[in-house]
Amino acid sequence: MDAVDFGLMALRAWLAVVMVAHGVNHGRSLDGTAAWFESKGFKRSRTLATLSSAGEVSVGLGLLVGFLTPFAAAGLLAVVTTAFWSVHRFSGFFVFARPDEGYEYVATLAVAALVIAVVGPGSISVDHWFGLEIGPWWGALIAGGGVAAAFAQLAILWTRPIRKASDGS
């Protein structure tokens, strides 16, 4: 194991912690998560809450062990692209700027996921052990698929909520 492999493993592990924590948090109160999704303009919010929770945990576990890593990274990109477009972009860059938080956090996760998709999981991964690693262009293409999936979800399930003039929007 060299420094790059260690760095990739550490990055994957941290992204896994973030994703699993979010998925478990969403799953602890599916009704609360569904209500929050609905307040942000999402249709079929209960189904979305269930799939979001399961998807975030699955993405996290895939990243943790480095299994089908470009697809796990694409899943993370789908999550943060959806979050950026439906919530965070309206609040500016900084997370402390407004109640819905800015986009610096989701943008950072997106860049990290893109790096993992393009560079690969490194030698400390299931993908490496079973010869499942792919080249950077395939990783980038799969990552792009995650972004496309986010916009498909948004097109099908999201309608921008109408904001009152009194809330500053």
Side-chain angles (χ1 to χ4, degrees):
M1 167 176 60
D2 64 12
V4 171
D5 290 321
F6 180 80
L8 289 169
M9 180 194 66
L11 180 58
R12 287 191 349 259
W14 178 248
L15 293 174
V17 167
V18 170
M19 292 309 293
V20 170
H22 275 265
V24 168
N25 187 54
H26 285 160
R28 283 182 322 141
S29 173
L30 289 176
D31 290 335
T33 300
W36 185 84
F37 279 137
E38 192 170 312
S39 78
K40 298 303 176 190
F42 283 94
K43 299 180 274 185
R44 298 185 182 160
S45 59
R46 175 66 184 202
T47 300
L48 187 57
T50 302
L51 293 175
S52 173
S53 176
E56 289 170 346
V57 169
S58 298
V59 162
L61 294 176
L63 288 168
L64 180 65
V65 299
F67 180 60
L68 300 176
T69 308
F71 293 99
L76 175 51
L77 276 163
V79 169
V80 296
T81 300
T82 301
F84 167 79
W85 194 258
S86 62
V87 178
H88 299 284
R89 71 186 172 112
F90 301 114
S91 297
F93 181 76
F94 295 106
V95 298
F96 54 80
R98 293 188 57 190
D100 284 336
E101 303 179 343
Y103 58 83
E104 69 179 300
Y105 172 70
V106 294
T108 299
L109 291 177
V111 170
L114 180 61
V115 168
I116 293 293
V118 172
V119 174
S123 67
I124 309 165
S125 66
V126 171
D127 287 350
H128 179 75
W129 296 330
F130 289 102
L132 300 174
E133 294 170 300
I134 60 174
W137 292 111
W138 283 108
L141 183 64
I142 293 167
V147 174
F151 281 105
Q153 175 186 343
L154 289 161
I156 295 167
L157 296 175
W158 183 67
T159 56
R160 182 176 175 190
I162 299 170
R163 297 177 186 253
K164 298 176 188 171
S166 63
D167 73 359
S169 297

